[in-house]
Amino acid sequence: MPDCRKLLAQMSEYIDGELPKDLCASLERHLADCPNCRVMFDSLTKTIKIYREGKEEPLPDELKDKLHKALEARWARKRRA
Amino acid sequence: MSNRADEGRWVREARSGDLGAFWKLVERHGPMVRRLLQRLVGDRDRADDLFSETFMRASDRIDQFRGESKFSTWLTAIAINLAKNELKLEKRRSTLPWENVIPDEAHRHGKTHADLAEWADPHTILEQKELAELMERVVRQLPPKYRVVFVLRDVEGLSTEETAEALGLSITAVKSRAARARLALRKSLAPALSTKARPVTRA
């Protein structure tokens, strides 16, 4: 049985499309035969997916106002300098 | 008009003293920078202070942005640099050995248990708010050097190369830390998201 641990280390690169072709082929062969690694692969892919699909919140007005005022003061000083 | 072309123009205008142009950059990238800092430092008020400091520093150094990297990568590097002090305070558990991120012995002996049970669609198991809180909590448990790589790669969607550039790391280091961080998160999420709550043994 191939070393599952070694393949776990490669799964991330495989998901990113950054694993060399020959290693992709051996990982795919292993996944076809090892149910535990298939579960690992599927749950790892889902982990990455839920984080990637998260949305950014719009900036709160209060935070924007505070930053805008601070920038105005700084830029006014820059212009005078 | 393309994003990159807009940005190039806004940066040039900001350099000649146009705050309105700089503000367009704040509006475009602000939500990304704020989320990044929230994920990195956890405390939302502190993250907002660092958010403002990031843009103040970017405004002071706008002349130094040469357009060799994306504006967002440049901003990200500033934000991370400012957050470094917070991250240094968390030296505890600074490494993440393989042993801690992979399933235990059972895997090698061909058995399966809750940690290796199949996952349902997370959205069908937990309410959106519960899921978001869980995701945020487990990311904060990652040691800082892994957390920062994970957040850039998988929350902000930077490429391996961009992450390496923003953090001053090698590509190999980024890949290795991303792999461990993802496996650690998978392991932390498994008890809540797997379809089997109790250990089972395969015949």
Side-chain angles (χ1 to χ4, degrees):
Chain A
M1 186 164 173
D3 186 353
C4 295
R5 288 170 178 236
K6 213 165 155 187
L7 297 171
L8 289 177
Q10 295 174 355
M11 277 184 196
S12 236
E13 278 188 76
Y14 179 82
I15 292 169
D16 290 334
E18 293 175 352
L19 191 68
K21 266 189 185 162
D22 52 331
L23 295 179
C24 286
S26 74
L27 178 62
E28 283 162 5
R29 275 197 304 277
H30 178 71
L31 286 176
D33 288 339
C34 178
N36 280 344
C37 277
R38 272 208 302 283
V39 169
M40 280 296 292
F41 180 74
D42 176 67
S43 51
L44 188 63
T45 307
K46 282 182 174 140
T47 299
I48 296 170
K49 185 167 174 275
I50 54 172
Y51 281 97
R52 291 206 165 168
E53 68 195 9
K55 291 187 179 66
E56 294 158 358
E57 293 169 33
L59 296 175
D61 289 340
E62 201 187 325
L63 182 65
K64 279 165 68 170
D65 289 348
K66 198 176 133 201
L67 175 60
H68 200 270
K69 282 193 185 111
L71 284 168
E72 271 177 340
R74 182 78 57 99
W75 285 53
R77 272 205 304 278
K78 268 206 278 189
R79 275 186 216 112
R80 283 198 299 270
Chain B
M1 198 182 295
S2 83
N3 288 352
R4 201 83 190 244
D6 279 345
E7 284 191 358
R9 186 163 49 82
W10 294 340
V11 170
R12 282 194 300 280
E13 289 169 0
R15 275 203 199 123
S16 8
D18 181 352
L19 177 56
F22 185 76
W23 191 251
K24 290 195 172 101
L25 294 164
V26 174
E27 297 213 305
R28 174 167 290 176
H29 298 292
M32 176 278 287
V33 171
R34 186 164 177 255
R35 179 172 65 173
L36 165 73
L37 289 164
Q38 284 175 346
R39 294 290 180 275
L40 290 183
V41 304
D43 182 287
R44 293 201 161 217
D45 290 338
R46 184 63 192 131
D48 280 351
D49 289 344
L50 290 169
F51 162 86
S52 296
E53 282 180 45
T54 299
F55 282 102
M56 295 302 282
R57 189 171 284 190
S59 114
D60 289 344
R61 297 182 180 180
I62 191 78
D63 286 340
Q64 294 170 20
F65 175 69
R66 298 273 166 235
E68 286 144 5
S69 56
K70 284 201 240 169
F71 191 74
S72 56
T73 311
W74 185 70
L75 268 181
T76 298
I78 295 177
I80 288 169
N81 207 31
L82 287 168
K84 265 188 183 151
N85 282 337
E86 261 74 5
L87 299 174
K88 272 185 201 143
L89 295 176
E90 311 173 36
K91 282 207 168 154
R92 194 172 53 93
R93 290 192 308 115
S94 58
T95 58
L96 203 50
W98 276 109
E99 298 304 321
N100 293 8
V101 300
I102 58 176
D104 65 19
E105 288 290 306
H107 183 60
R108 275 178 291 161
H109 298 294
K111 291 178 184 167
T112 186
H113 57 108
D115 190 35
L116 281 167
E118 286 190 28
W119 281 19
D121 175 355
H123 300 286
T124 63
I125 290 198
L126 294 173
E127 294 291 333
Q128 188 55 45
K129 192 165 174 276
E130 284 177 306
L131 180 62
E133 282 169 6
L134 173 67
M135 286 162 60
E136 208 167 322
R137 193 168 67 242
V138 295
V139 166
R140 278 211 298 277
Q141 288 165 358
L142 288 174
K145 68 180 186 185
Y146 301 92
R147 190 188 322 152
V148 73
V149 168
F150 177 78
V151 170
L152 292 186
R153 285 291 286 116
D154 293 322
V155 179
E156 301 308 338
L158 267 63
S159 68
T160 302
E161 288 76 13
E162 287 165 345
T163 304
E165 187 188 334
L167 297 176
L169 288 173
S170 68
I171 300 275
T172 315
V174 169
K175 285 183 178 178
S176 157
R177 290 181 196 187
R180 288 180 202 213
R182 289 163 167 181
L183 285 166
L185 291 176
R186 192 214 68 86
K187 191 169 176 161
S188 302
L189 293 171
L193 299 181
S194 86
T195 50
K196 289 172 190 157
R198 280 202 304 268
V200 285
T201 307
R202 201 174 50 166

